[in-house]
Amino acid sequence: MKFLKIIVLLLVVKVSYANVVLPSVFSDHMVLQQQDNVRFWGWANPDEEVVISPSWTDENYKTKATNQAFWELTIKTPKFGGPFTITIKGYNEIVLKDILIGEVWLCSGQSNMEMSASWGIENGEQEIAEANHPNIRFFTVPKASAEKPQNNLIANWQVCTPESMEHTSALAYFFAKRIQENLNNVPVGLLVSAWGGTPAEIWMPEEIIKRDSILNKAANKLAPTTYGPIEPARAFNAMINPLIGYNISGILWYQGESNVGSKVYDKTLEVLIQSWRHLWQKNVPFYFVQIAPYKYGKNHFSGVEVRDAQRKVDDKIENTGMVIISDISPIDDIHPKDKKSVGIRLANLALKKHYNTLDGLVESPSFSSVTFKKNKAIVSFKNAEGLYLKDKKTLFEIAEADTLFYPATCKLSGTDIILSSNKITTPKYIRFAWGNTLQSNLFNKADLPASSFTTEK
């Protein structure tokens, strides 16, 4: 009887030790950022020693859990390659298998980022059938909301196959495929965290909004929807916060349709970018897609105002880039089916601006400045090499101080455009493609369209 009591006591002692636990983002098939000091973290019994042994080195990394049962380690990763294994030992042992080292991107936003091939993308059946790319991996975050920041979520890494590609972000997939083609088949990991029909306010920390009267007022004006939450931070808490600290190369963002009507979207997006960079403690590139022309209700300018706000953010915030898609999106579909072109344009931004492996023009013509001389306006553009108009229709308008706009005649002069109107004698404002459904007809030699813009505001 005494012997049995000893065995029972030993069993109780053993199970009282907490096993080492990892967040779900650390699992089989994951991709870790190459040539970086990658952060690992998890939970264990207080003061329990945790040892991590990656197969790409003989070095063992050790730490101990705190009295809050939390531990973290930083591990140096090599140049891209794999597959590797990673062994994590505490009172238990975890072996992560089929680990690749490469480039990791966080892909977030609303439905156009979430949109998978199964939704009916252009050439979808063929793209699905050809989606055998074992060096592309997806970590697709399920939709969830929370009132407070969470430290874990339920998801797992998946190897890119026709079956897995069909049900995750098509845009992210095409981005990764283009990156691989240019970077010698480097593994690409995609953290896909998107939710259709959601405003930007639910994707940033609540305290950021609450302490800013302008953002707080805008958040309080959001109308309830059946698509998802509108309360600040609800998606951030459940779908972004658990990923913070996982080393990434950059961020892709496609969102804005659910903020149509906002007068402060430029500030909203700017604060979101800054808050994420602060949380990741790194000035990561942030590349985003301008929303497409579309008929948004009775207000003829609610959508174009958001597009202009996005343009302003791209001009103002360093290490950003914006893809314009007015030429590849029909005005009667809020979910443009050509996700391949969008993914490629985003990838080209990254390849030139972040990886420095691509030459040539990858950005759209962008309004730079306007000079008024007598009855004419001389408009200058950036990224304007080979500037041309695709048709004779004028989308430029010109106005005096009364802000009554009239169609303007256009004359190309290198990277400038000279505007005038017989109804204007003293011009003060100009605008271009200023309407929800107006698609740009101004392109550069890379066949990339110019953004709509106005100088009135």
Side-chain angles (χ1 to χ4, degrees):
M1 180 65 69
K2 185 177 180 180
F3 179 70
L4 287 174
K5 286 183 178 179
I6 292 173
I7 292 177
V8 170
L9 180 62
L10 287 172
L11 287 173
V12 170
V13 171
K14 186 172 182 179
V15 299
S16 70
Y17 291 143
N19 284 338
V20 171
V21 178
L22 294 169
S24 63
V25 73
F26 296 107
S27 55
D28 292 349
H29 315 302
M30 71 179 174
V31 179
L32 294 174
Q33 183 62 35
Q34 67 171 322
Q35 296 179 304
D36 203 356
N37 293 311
V38 169
R39 179 174 173 260
F40 275 71
W41 71 92
W43 304 274
N45 205 55
D47 206 40
E48 180 179 352
E49 184 176 71
V50 178
V51 181
I52 300 183
S53 305
S55 67
W56 62 77
T57 179
D58 293 331
E59 187 172 353
N60 294 319
Y61 297 83
K62 299 179 181 180
T63 191
K64 286 189 176 182
T66 67
N67 62 357
Q68 304 296 315
F70 179 80
W71 60 266
E72 62 180 320
L73 270 172
T74 300
I75 296 174
K76 187 172 181 59
T77 53
K79 185 178 180 181
F80 73 86
F84 299 104
T85 59
I86 301 175
T87 302
I88 301 98
K89 289 184 179 179
Y91 295 135
N92 60 319
E93 179 177 289
I94 301 170
V95 180
L96 304 180
K97 301 174 183 177
D98 188 32
I99 308 303
L100 299 181
I101 307 294
E103 294 294 310
V104 182
W105 286 79
L106 171 61
C107 311
S108 189
Q110 56 180 108
S111 55
N112 276 301
M113 178 61 80
E114 179 189 356
M115 186 173 175
S116 66
S118 66
W119 290 28
I121 65 168
E122 192 172 285
N123 299 319
E125 290 186 5
Q126 180 180 346
E127 297 292 353
I128 293 169
E130 296 175 355
N132 285 297
H133 299 282
N135 276 7
I136 295 176
R137 307 287 173 87
F138 306 109
F139 185 83
T140 303
V141 176
K143 294 184 181 72
S145 65
E147 293 185 11
K148 301 295 181 182
Q150 304 298 296
N151 59 16
N152 203 359
L153 50 82
I154 301 172
N156 60 281
W157 283 92
Q158 291 183 302
V159 178
C160 179
T161 63
E163 292 74 24
S164 62
M165 176 270 188
E166 183 179 2
H167 299 289
T168 194
S169 170
L171 185 155
Y173 164 75
F174 289 121
F175 170 86
K177 191 166 176 284
R178 171 67 175 145
I179 292 290
Q180 280 203 328
E181 291 168 356
N182 191 270
L183 296 183
N184 194 28
N185 201 36
V186 61
V188 178
L190 301 166
L191 303 170
V192 180
S193 184
W195 189 338
T198 53
E201 286 83 354
I202 77 166
W203 292 101
M204 65 179 78
E206 184 174 10
E207 64 271 16
I208 298 291
I209 295 176
K210 295 298 184 183
R211 68 177 181 228
D212 188 296
S213 59
I214 295 175
L215 295 182
N216 197 34
K217 184 178 179 180
N220 288 332
K221 287 183 177 180
L222 292 169
T225 74
T226 58
Y227 305 115
I230 60 167
E231 298 84 359
R234 292 302 172 88
F236 170 84
N237 290 339
M239 299 174 66
I240 297 294
N241 196 71
L243 305 176
I244 292 171
Y246 193 89
N247 291 49
I248 58 176
S249 187
I251 298 169
L252 306 181
W253 177 256
Y254 192 162
Q255 190 276 338
E257 296 91 344
S258 288
N259 284 96
V260 163
S262 171
K263 303 297 183 182
V264 296
Y265 186 75
D266 51 342
K267 182 169 186 176
T268 304
L269 181 56
E270 178 183 345
V271 169
L272 183 145
I273 294 170
Q274 291 173 338
S275 68
W276 285 19
R277 285 175 171 173
H278 174 74
L279 290 165
W280 259 274
Q281 300 180 8
K282 189 176 181 182
N283 184 31
V284 292
F286 192 102
Y287 302 138
F288 58 96
V289 183
Q290 186 183 68
I291 63 172
Y294 180 73
K295 186 176 181 179
Y296 289 100
K298 295 179 180 179
N299 186 325
H300 300 305
F301 305 113
S302 57
V304 73
E305 286 173 345
V306 168
R307 298 207 301 272
D308 197 43
Q310 292 172 315
R311 177 191 66 84
K312 290 176 181 177
V313 170
D314 185 36
D315 279 346
K316 182 179 180 181
I317 307 301
E318 66 172 347
N319 202 16
T320 61
M322 182 176 73
V323 165
I324 298 168
I325 61 169
S326 62
D327 60 321
I328 52 174
S329 54
I331 63 173
D332 60 349
D333 189 351
I334 202 169
H335 299 117
K337 302 300 186 289
D338 183 2
K339 289 295 182 279
K340 185 173 186 177
S341 295
V342 184
I344 289 173
R345 289 181 184 183
L346 282 168
N348 287 344
L349 280 180
L351 290 169
K352 182 170 184 178
K353 300 180 72 168
H354 183 59
Y355 295 111
N356 301 310
T357 61
L358 194 65
D359 295 324
L361 202 55
V362 299
E363 295 181 84
S364 287
S366 177
F367 169 74
S368 177
S369 63
V370 59
T371 302
F372 298 105
K373 290 185 178 179
K374 295 183 180 179
N375 66 333
K376 291 181 172 57
I378 303 169
V379 192
S380 298
F381 291 85
K382 299 176 290 185
N383 310 314
E385 188 177 352
L387 200 65
Y388 73 96
L389 290 162
K390 275 201 169 181
D391 54 49
K392 295 182 179 180
K393 182 180 179 181
T394 179
L395 296 179
F396 282 95
E397 296 174 280
I398 193 167
E400 294 182 337
D402 59 8
T403 67
L404 295 175
F405 282 90
Y406 297 94
T409 58
C410 309
K411 181 181 178 182
L412 284 169
S413 179
T415 57
D416 295 342
I417 289 183
I418 302 171
L419 305 178
S420 63
S421 169
N422 57 14
K423 295 184 178 182
I424 296 293
T425 57
T426 311
K428 186 175 181 180
Y429 304 109
I430 61 168
R431 63 190 189 187
F432 171 71
W434 197 251
N436 286 349
T437 61
L438 292 181
Q439 296 169 293
S440 176
N441 64 349
L442 180 64
F443 291 77
N444 59 20
K445 74 171 189 177
D447 289 327
L448 296 173
S451 171
S452 49
F453 69 89
T454 184
T455 64
E456 182 187 358
K457 302 173 183 180

